[in-house]
C-alpha cells in the first residue's frame, strides 16, 4: 500500500513552533510587566496624614478664648469646630504625580478633608475662609458597608491639586471633620504619588 505523501518541509510542526513562540512572547511580556511594576513600586511614595496636635490645640484655645470673652472673630476668620482637627502632609520630594487615595475607616461615619493654602507661623496666624481650598475630599462608610466610598471625580481633582502644591510647599495643612460616628483613632488616610 503506497504511503501518503509527506507534508512539505515548511509546514512541519507549524503548530508546535507557534505554541513555543507564543509561550516565549508571553514570558517576555510577563517579564516586561513585572519590571514595569517593580519600577513603579520603587518610584511610589505613600504619604500619611498626621494630626498636628499642637496646632489643633492652639486653634481650639483660640475658639474657646473668644467664646469665654464674648469677643467676635475677625472678619472672614474660620474657627476650628469641636469635631474638627488639623492634619498635615510633609513633602520630602517636590516633583510628584498623584496616583490614588488610601482611606480606611473603622466602623461607619463620614470624614471630610479640606485643604488649606495657608503657611502657619509659630504665633498662629488665624485661619481665614478664603484660604480653604476646593474641591474637598469626602469619604464615608455606611453601616454594613465593607468599603469606604467617595465622589471619585472630586477626590481625583483634589489629589492632583495637592500634587501641584507639593512642587512649591514642604508641608501642607488640612482640616479634617469627623461626622456621623467617625473618629480620628479609627481613620487611616494616606495618598500615593509617583516621584519623577
Amino acid at each position: 500500500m503506497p504511503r501518503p505523501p509527506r507534508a512539505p518541509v515548511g509546514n512541519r510542526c507549524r503548530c508546535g513552533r507557534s505554541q513555543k513562540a507564543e509561550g516565549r512572547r508571553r514570558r517576555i511580556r510577563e517579564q516586561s510587566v513585572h519590571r514595569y511594576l517593580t519600577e513603579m513600586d520603587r518610584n511610589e511614595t505613600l504619604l500619611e496624614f498626621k494630626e498636628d496636635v499642637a496646632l489643633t490645640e492652639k486653634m481650639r484655645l483660640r475658639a474657646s478664648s473668644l467664646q469665654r470673652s464674648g469677643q467676635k472673630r475677625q472678619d472672614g476668620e474660620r474657627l476650628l469646630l469641636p469635631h474638627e482637627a488639623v492634619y498635615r502632609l510633609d513633602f520630602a520630594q517636590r516633583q510628584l504625580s498623584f496616583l490614588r487615595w488610601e482611606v480606611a475607616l473603622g466602623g461607619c461615619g463620614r470624614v471630610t478633608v479640606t485643604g488649606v493654602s495657608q503657611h502657619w507661623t509659630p504665633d498662629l496666624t488665624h485661619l481665614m475662609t478664603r484660604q480653604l481650598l476646593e474641591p474637598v475630599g469626602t469619604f464615608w462608610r455606611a453601616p454594613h458597608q465593607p468599603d469606604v466610598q467617595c465622589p471619585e471625580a472630586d477626590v481625583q481633582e483634589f489629589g492632583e491639586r495637592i500634587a501641584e502644591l507639593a512642587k512649591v510647599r514642604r508641608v501642607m495643612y488640612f482640616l479634617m471633620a469627623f461626622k456621623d460616628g467617625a473618629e480620628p483613632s479609627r481613620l487611616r488616610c494616606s495618598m500615593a504619588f509617583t516621584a519623577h
Side-chain angles (χ1 to χ4, degrees):
M1 188 173 185
R3 285 181 175 181
R6 297 178 64 184
V9 174
N11 292 338
R12 287 182 191 168
C13 300
R14 180 179 291 174
C15 182
R17 279 206 286 279
S18 174
Q19 287 175 344
K20 286 180 182 177
E22 181 56 35
R24 194 162 48 248
R25 283 195 292 270
R26 186 171 60 249
R27 283 194 299 275
I28 291 170
R29 281 198 303 270
E30 287 170 354
Q31 289 168 358
S32 299
V33 168
H34 177 71
R35 279 197 298 271
Y36 175 70
L37 291 175
T38 303
E39 191 66 26
M40 275 189 64
D41 289 343
R42 196 179 301 132
N43 290 335
E44 188 173 301
T45 301
L46 192 65
L47 300 181
E48 184 177 356
F49 287 80
K50 296 180 180 177
E51 184 181 357
D52 191 317
V53 178
L55 188 50
T56 299
E57 185 58 27
K58 283 182 180 179
M59 291 190 71
R60 290 197 197 289
L61 288 173
R62 165 74 179 164
S64 61
S65 171
L66 289 177
Q67 188 176 19
R68 280 196 313 270
S69 64
Q71 294 179 352
K72 292 184 177 180
R73 63 187 179 198
Q74 293 181 12
D75 241 10
E77 183 180 0
R78 171 64 158 77
L79 297 177
L80 196 67
L81 300 173
H83 61 280
E84 295 177 330
V86 181
Y87 281 68
R88 62 187 285 161
L89 280 180
D90 293 280
F91 303 109
Q93 294 169 296
R94 298 301 185 90
Q95 299 298 321
L96 298 174
S97 293
F98 170 70
L99 283 179
R100 67 186 179 277
W101 290 80
E102 292 193 3
V103 180
L105 186 59
C108 59
R110 179 179 297 266
V111 177
T112 302
V113 185
T114 305
V116 177
S117 64
Q118 177 171 344
H119 289 281
W120 261 292
T121 57
D123 62 346
L124 182 62
T125 303
H126 304 315
L127 175 61
M128 310 304 284
T129 53
R130 67 176 180 273
Q131 293 167 322
L132 302 178
L133 302 178
E134 291 184 348
V136 300
T138 304
F139 304 90
W140 66 91
R141 187 176 170 193
H144 312 299
Q145 190 177 51
D147 299 318
V148 174
Q149 305 294 311
C150 66
E152 292 185 11
D154 285 348
V155 299
Q156 176 71 26
E157 183 182 344
F158 190 25
E160 290 170 357
R161 183 158 194 193
I162 292 169
E164 282 298 312
L165 286 168
K167 294 176 181 177
V168 295
R169 305 283 292 272
R170 289 200 177 275
V171 61
M172 186 172 172
Y173 295 93
F174 301 83
L175 290 185
M176 285 212 186
F178 298 88
K179 302 175 182 177
D180 303 331
E183 296 177 7
S185 61
R186 297 192 294 173
L187 173 71
R188 293 291 176 272
C189 186
S190 302
M191 296 182 72
F193 300 90
T194 50
H196 301 300

